[in-house]
Amino acid sequence: MRLQAATGWISFAAYRGNNQLSLLIHFHIQQGKAASPGRAPFGSFLFLPDVSAAEWSNFLRYIEAEFVQRGIRQLEIKCPPMPYCSDDKRVVEEALARANYISHEDIVTSIPILPVPFYESLHRAEKKKLRKSDTAGAEFQLLLLAQLENVYRHLSEWRASKNLSLSLSLADLQKLAAAFPNHVLLTAVRLKDQWIAANVSLRVTRHVLYNFYHDHDPAWDSLSPVVKLNEGLYHLGRAQGMQWLDLGTSLDNGQLRPSLLEFKVRLGAKLFPKFTFRKVLTHE
């Protein structure tokens, strides 16, 4: 949490009579709004599977009363999508719905990592692009973490050429890599003596590899090197026993970008809902 913000955090926990922790959530407070997880893609609750509806209700009422006293006007809770959680996420969604939280649904995409080659799950159009990259001699590479600044520079320049930017500064990304060096992976697609695509991925759990940042040199649009990049990530994840390659949402300035979503589906991705719950608190 400290990597997101040094201050402004508040945590709530519920204990049972035997001093057993049953519910836990962290919020970051900024400009009259409390958000779980702050800047991260999702946060929400940790809880025991046998927490009752009454325990949920009491916990949420306590949180809201505490925030009202602190002058907080808005609550926001981003719930993790599949495959980051099991079906017990429905318990959270139902508890928040009973407490009159309003839900907003986004779509996330993840490629199941199966005991078959990446190529077999591709749409025929993407198979053609992958063959074209292979014929041209493009190669996937796993890079050393020392290359982070170089990778960031390439990604930033390629994004800028499309009037886009990266959500994290280089300094923030370096802090993340320093704190979790075994969870940050750098990869690239090389053609002859240059990178034509690059990537920053995160090992989020033992089973999920998250394609956090990727982009390619627009001069090589004809090869669509991102297909080759995802092939490399897929096989890298499979070699490490992972089950999912998370491609994230498909948003552009907060709005769904249908063409990007369609591209991810053609790569073999499955669609999952990701819910954000919000509530405006009444100050009496």
Side-chain angles (χ1 to χ4, degrees), residues 14-71:
Y15 291 87
R16 290 172 172 168
N18 57 1
N19 206 33
Q20 181 185 40
L21 178 65
S22 58
L23 284 155
L24 175 67
I25 189 169
H26 307 288
F27 288 93
H28 183 257
I29 300 173
Q30 188 173 17
Q31 297 179 343
K33 175 181 174 181
S36 176
R39 294 168 59 193
F42 54 80
S44 193
F45 299 86
L46 295 175
F47 58 96
L48 294 178
D50 62 343
V51 173
S52 68
E55 287 176 292
W56 275 108
S57 179
N58 291 336
F59 190 54
L60 290 171
R61 281 202 299 266
Y62 176 81
I63 291 171
E64 292 170 17
E66 180 66 25
F67 279 137
V68 166
Q69 286 190 348
R70 291 170 177 261

Side-chain angles (χ1 to χ4, degrees), residues 82-190:
M82 292 289 286
Y84 289 96
C85 61
S86 61
D87 289 338
D88 62 8
K89 71 186 184 71
R90 291 185 177 274
V91 174
V92 178
E93 294 165 3
E94 290 169 0
L96 293 173
R98 287 195 302 269
N100 298 316
Y101 284 72
I102 304 301
S103 65
H104 171 78
E105 180 179 346
D106 287 316
I107 299 296
V108 298
T109 52
S110 292
I111 299 175
I113 298 177
L114 305 171
V116 297
F118 177 74
Y119 183 86
E120 291 191 14
S121 300
L122 289 178
H123 183 275
R124 61 180 180 275
E126 306 313 317
K127 288 180 178 179
K128 183 177 180 180
K129 293 174 184 176
L130 186 57
R131 287 196 299 268
K132 194 171 183 179
S133 289
D134 289 339
T135 300
E139 296 181 343
F140 175 82
Q141 293 184 322
L142 179 62
L143 307 173
L144 296 175
L145 204 53
Q147 290 273 40
L148 178 57
E149 185 172 353
N150 199 14
V151 168
Y152 188 92
R153 178 175 58 81
H154 278 78
L155 290 172
S156 185
E157 289 175 357
W158 295 335
R159 290 282 176 98
S161 71
K162 305 166 189 174
N163 295 317
L164 300 172
S165 61
L166 299 172
S167 58
L168 291 183
S169 67
L170 174 60
D172 285 341
L173 199 54
Q174 287 172 327
K175 288 178 183 177
L176 178 66
F180 303 103
N182 295 325
H183 293 267
V184 178
L185 297 177
L186 305 180
T187 61
V189 174
R190 179 177 290 276

Side-chain angles (χ1 to χ4, degrees), residues 1 3 8 10 33 57 128 142 186 247 250 271 279:
M1 295 192 303
L3 291 175
I10 182 171
K33 175 181 174 181
S57 179
K128 183 177 180 180
L142 179 62
L186 305 180
L247 303 183
S250 303
L271 307 184
K279 188 171 186 177

